[in-house]
Amino acid sequence: PEGELVDQALKSRPELASVELAMRASASQVTSSWLRYAPNLGLFGSVRLTNATGFAGRHDSFAFGAQLDWQLFDGFVRDAQRHQAEAQRRDAELRMEQLRESIADEVVNARRNVQTKRQGLLTAQRALQMAQETLNLVRLQYEAGTATQLDLLTSQDQADLTAVGLAQARFDLSLSVIQLRRLIGAPLVG
């Protein structure tokens, strides 16, 4: 069924995975742009050991501390970056939606093309059968003397042309099946 073929294509096509990763990256950029509003907390510490005693009569000294930086106004740069990241995320979502629809359309069209080529093959097989029956009939008429040699040659040419048409129909069907398999991500031979 078309739905299963479309689902298989959506699961196996590599370009969807690429756009999915781009969407994730864009979503991470949006989160990152929001985190730029948060304050920065820095911790520091130092320990110093010497062989000489200081004023306190100790061989060691240490210092620990914390520093909090919070930029309250930056000329709306962070806001612009946030809007840009959100626009990129939305663009990736729209590309994903468009790609999904495009793949679904391609698969549906390819499946219908395979069905059309199968019907064409059946028609070509019937045409060859009719051409062979006509050739047999014209041979009988020729042997009976009611058909000319031109009628016999024309009938043989028509049978040969329909055999070529049958071979072309088989080729077209095989080509459309390969195209469908490529679109759904299945192995081309199988």
Side-chain angles (χ1 to χ4, degrees):
E2 287 180 0
E4 290 179 15
L5 292 175
V6 169
D7 288 343
Q8 183 178 353
L10 293 176
K11 290 176 185 171
S12 64
R13 294 281 291 267
E15 59 267 32
L16 283 173
S18 172
V19 174
E20 178 71 31
L21 290 174
M23 283 178 45
R24 289 182 191 171
S26 296
S28 295
Q29 286 178 345
V30 169
T31 303
S32 173
S33 67
W34 277 108
L35 291 175
R36 289 186 184 126
Y37 288 101
N40 294 324
L41 176 63
L43 300 174
F44 62 89
S46 70
V47 175
R48 180 175 292 164
L49 298 173
T50 64
N51 58 359
T53 59
F55 292 114
R58 299 180 59 157
H59 293 284
D60 61 346
S61 65
F62 53 89
F64 296 101
Q67 179 179 351
L68 182 66
D69 293 328
W70 195 357
Q71 185 176 14
L72 298 176
F73 184 73
D74 64 352
F76 300 109
V77 171
R78 291 178 292 189
D79 198 43
Q81 289 172 344
R82 181 179 54 83
H83 286 300
Q84 181 180 9
E86 287 174 353
Q88 288 172 345
R89 180 190 52 81
R90 181 68 179 139
D91 179 58
E93 287 174 355
L94 291 174
R95 275 189 317 203
M96 175 65 103
E97 183 179 329
Q98 181 184 17
L99 186 58
R100 285 179 180 273
E101 290 173 0
S102 173
I103 288 173
D105 289 344
E106 288 175 355
V107 169
V108 167
N109 289 338
R111 182 178 181 273
R112 290 179 183 166
N113 190 31
V114 167
Q115 291 173 332
T116 301
K117 299 298 180 181
R118 281 190 180 137
Q119 291 300 318
L121 179 62
L122 292 175
T123 303
Q125 288 170 339
R126 286 187 205 124
L128 180 61
Q129 183 181 12
M130 288 177 59
Q132 288 172 342
E133 289 175 5
T134 303
L135 177 60
N136 291 335
L137 181 63
V138 171
R139 276 190 187 140
L140 289 174
Q141 290 174 346
Y142 178 72
E143 291 171 0
T146 58
T148 65
Q149 187 174 6
L150 181 62
D151 293 335
L152 181 61
L153 291 173
T154 303
S155 181
Q156 286 175 342
D157 284 345
Q158 190 61 37
D160 290 342
L161 286 174
T162 54
V164 169
L166 177 62
Q168 183 66 46
R170 285 184 178 138
F171 175 77
D172 291 343
L173 176 60
S174 296
L175 194 60
S176 63
V177 167
I178 287 172
Q179 176 69 11
L180 176 61
R181 293 177 71 82
R182 183 187 66 80
L183 288 173
I184 63 172
L188 297 182
V189 183

